[in-house]
Amino acid sequence: MVEVYLARHGQTEENVCRIFQGHLPGRLTDEGKLQAIALGEYLKDIPLDGILSSDLDRVVETVRLAVGSRHLPWQITPLLREINWGSWTGLPIDSVDKSCYPENAETREMLYHRAEQCVDFIRGNYQNTRLLVVAHGLINRSIRAVVCGIPVSELYTVSRMQNGECCRLEL
């Protein structure tokens, strides 16, 4: 078994401006930094064995603020990146026709498949550990769906994680 503490990065300037971030680095706001510190407070008495996170800056900064002086093995992977919005990346969310996704964007099915790969990676590499996993809203939603056996067609029935939120999963 793997005990996973799945967290979402702190609020970013792009979240506030309602921008499709996708694979952009993202910049934590002051509120986002406080959320990361609060995440660390939530986790401080949990004996973690390691950290697995997205490689995007908004997550890396969240991890650094949350973990503080704890010395834990930390693996960074692009598997945990947010959905790739393709040509929508960097655009305001309200500026596009959401009924017609760009051809170069990652689909919901592709994201779900990547979440399956993430879960398999965790199971294969972190057995009998207590692991902090820090990533992004949509990949976290997809990971939770995979773990709970919710099919991709019902992905959006899984509740959205707020910035800085953490939930516990057992794999």
Side-chain angles (χ1 to χ4, degrees):
M1 183 189 83
V2 185
E3 187 176 352
V4 171
Y5 289 84
L6 180 66
R8 183 177 177 203
H9 63 80
Q11 179 191 72
T12 64
E13 293 174 17
E14 294 81 5
N15 291 143
V16 172
C17 294
R18 298 191 32 80
I19 300 290
F20 285 108
Q21 287 182 94
H23 291 185
L24 293 175
R27 295 172 304 275
L28 291 186
T29 62
D30 289 342
E31 176 66 22
K33 292 173 185 176
L34 291 174
Q35 290 167 339
I37 292 166
L39 173 63
E41 279 298 307
Y42 171 79
L43 296 167
K44 74 178 181 181
D45 295 325
I46 298 170
L48 297 168
D49 298 305
I51 304 162
L52 180 66
S53 80
S54 164
D55 61 338
L56 298 176
D57 288 352
R58 59 192 185 264
V59 170
V60 171
E61 185 175 3
T62 297
V63 170
R64 286 190 177 126
L65 289 167
V67 173
S69 63
R70 290 172 83 170
H71 298 287
L72 297 167
W74 181 6
Q75 185 171 3
I76 295 174
T77 177
L79 267 180
L80 286 168
R81 283 184 173 188
E82 183 58 293
I83 192 169
N84 181 355
W85 290 111
S87 58
W88 284 2
T89 301
L91 296 178
I93 292 171
D94 294 333
S95 72
V96 301
D97 176 4
K98 293 180 206 72
S99 68
C100 186
Y101 276 55
E103 289 184 20
N104 62 348
E106 189 173 19
T107 66
R108 178 174 35 179
E109 292 76 17
M110 292 163 71
L111 182 67
Y112 189 89
H113 176 67
R114 188 156 50 87
E116 290 173 322
Q117 292 176 310
C118 288
V119 170
D120 289 345
F121 179 83
I122 292 168
R123 283 186 175 129
N125 292 281
Y126 292 97
Q127 277 300 313
N128 303 312
T129 63
R130 195 172 280 128
L131 184 67
L132 172 61
V133 176
V134 186
H136 309 269
L138 289 174
I139 188 65
N140 284 1
R141 178 182 270 178
S142 299
I143 288 168
R144 290 168 54 218
V146 167
V147 170
C148 294
I150 297 169
V152 67
S153 60
E154 297 175 27
L155 179 62
Y156 291 105
T157 65
V158 177
S159 63
R160 182 174 165 246
M161 292 181 79
Q162 299 301 312
N163 291 107
E165 184 178 345
C166 185
C167 68
R168 183 182 171 279
L169 303 170
E170 287 184 4
L171 308 184

